[in-house]
Amino acid sequence: MRLLALDSSAASCSVALWDDGKKEIGSPVVAHHCKFMDRGQSEALIPMVDSVMEEAGWAFGDLDRLGVTVGPGSFTGVRIGLAAARGLALARGLSLVGVTSLEAIALEARAEDGNKDTAVPDTLFVALSAGRSDLYFQIFSRNEDVESAFPWQAASSPGAAMLEDVPGQLPQKGLVLIAGNGAPLIRHVLATEKRAAGPGHQIIYAGGPGLPDAAAVAVIAAGREPETFGSEPVPLYVHSHYARLPQGRMKEVAP
């Protein structure tokens, strides 16, 4: 299967091509471009798609599936990615798979250098900046399905909270890995408030930019069943008061 993945949901823009026929000889991600940007995704996304297709020597007729982030994230960025993916899927008759931005961050979460020898985390807390001193967040637990390409399973629905309220949302036992670009903010709050983990409770932090990336979207989308015809992915907005779309076209999750 050959798949094109797109992400423009946060402070970056990325595209990736996946070919599961390459698994045995190397990485199935055969081309990948990423740019960090707060705005300008609408101008950058399609040229990046053209660039990776040219790099891989693929034509759009070679694709079998598309993957795209559905949010939460930037209202405009989420819609840019979804609009591009829907347009390509419709024009080429391709199936389309939605992946949340928090899932994409979770897949690539790795403990920072100082904690690489720590045991496998019991839970993962993904925090993505939502602006206005808010964070999107979701808790994941270990996926017991060893055959799954996604090592985590959702232990909560995506939520949103003000930064100062996030410590109260953290798991209170076991080894907790905090990932996403909101992790440094949480670390600062915990240090400022001098909150110490209790017995049997340890918090470590992931390294890297902590943003969703199309390479992770490709991995997840390749292992997930596509949406049925007529029920393509819709935006996931955690803050329903930030954006309003026609009834039935917005998926809302209460904080």
Side-chain angles (χ1 to χ4, degrees):
M1 179 178 63
R2 288 183 167 184
L3 181 149
L4 167 65
L6 314 175
D7 171 68
S8 58
S9 63
S12 62
C13 186
S14 59
V15 298
L17 295 177
W18 163 282
D19 184 352
D20 60 5
K22 302 292 186 182
K23 285 182 180 179
E24 302 302 322
I25 60 174
S27 172
V29 177
V30 298
H32 172 236
H33 287 189
C34 178
K35 295 180 180 178
F36 297 106
M37 56 179 67
D38 291 323
R39 56 181 59 86
Q41 287 90 339
S42 60
E43 293 82 14
L45 185 59
I46 295 303
M48 290 175 72
V49 170
D50 292 338
S51 181
V52 294
M53 294 291 285
E54 181 179 358
E55 179 181 326
W58 290 9
F60 284 101
D62 296 325
L63 295 173
D64 301 300
R65 183 181 295 182
L66 294 167
V68 64
T69 41
V70 298
S74 159
F75 171 69
T76 302
V78 168
R79 296 189 71 184
I80 288 168
L82 272 168
R86 287 172 179 164
L88 289 170
L90 181 62
R92 303 293 173 176
L94 299 170
S95 58
L96 181 57
V97 177
V99 175
T100 74
S101 54
L102 301 174
E103 289 175 322
I105 295 171
L107 181 68
E108 297 195 322
R110 303 287 186 277
E112 60 188 2
D113 290 345
N115 292 310
K116 284 187 175 179
D117 295 329
T118 307
V120 176
D122 299 299
T123 54
L124 171 66
F125 188 92
V126 176
L128 178 65
S129 174
R132 308 184 189 187
S133 299
D134 286 0
L135 294 176
Y136 300 119
F137 68 88
Q138 188 170 12
I139 300 171
F140 295 87
S141 60
R142 275 285 165 189
N143 190 345
E144 300 300 328
D145 181 4
V146 296
E147 299 296 325
S148 174
F150 188 54
W152 302 99
Q153 59 186 5
S156 75
S157 297
M162 295 184 67
L163 176 59
E164 59 264 33
D165 296 329
V166 168
Q169 304 290 338
L170 293 172
Q172 298 300 309
K173 62 180 180 179
L175 179 60
V176 181
L177 174 63
I178 301 180
N181 68 348
L185 302 175
I186 297 173
R187 183 181 225 163
H188 177 74
V189 169
L190 293 177
T192 300
E193 297 182 358
K194 298 182 179 179
R195 296 197 184 193
H201 182 214
Q202 182 183 0
I203 294 175
I204 59 175
Y205 298 87
L211 292 169
D213 188 276
V217 175
V219 174
I220 298 171
R224 181 170 291 176
E225 288 298 317
E227 302 287 340
T228 58
F229 182 77
S231 60
E232 72 275 7
V234 296
L236 171 61
Y237 296 122
V238 176
H239 283 305
S240 61
H241 61 280
Y242 280 1
R244 290 288 180 186
L245 293 179
Q247 186 69 26
R249 299 305 301 159
M250 179 171 66
K251 182 178 180 181
E252 296 183 3
V253 178

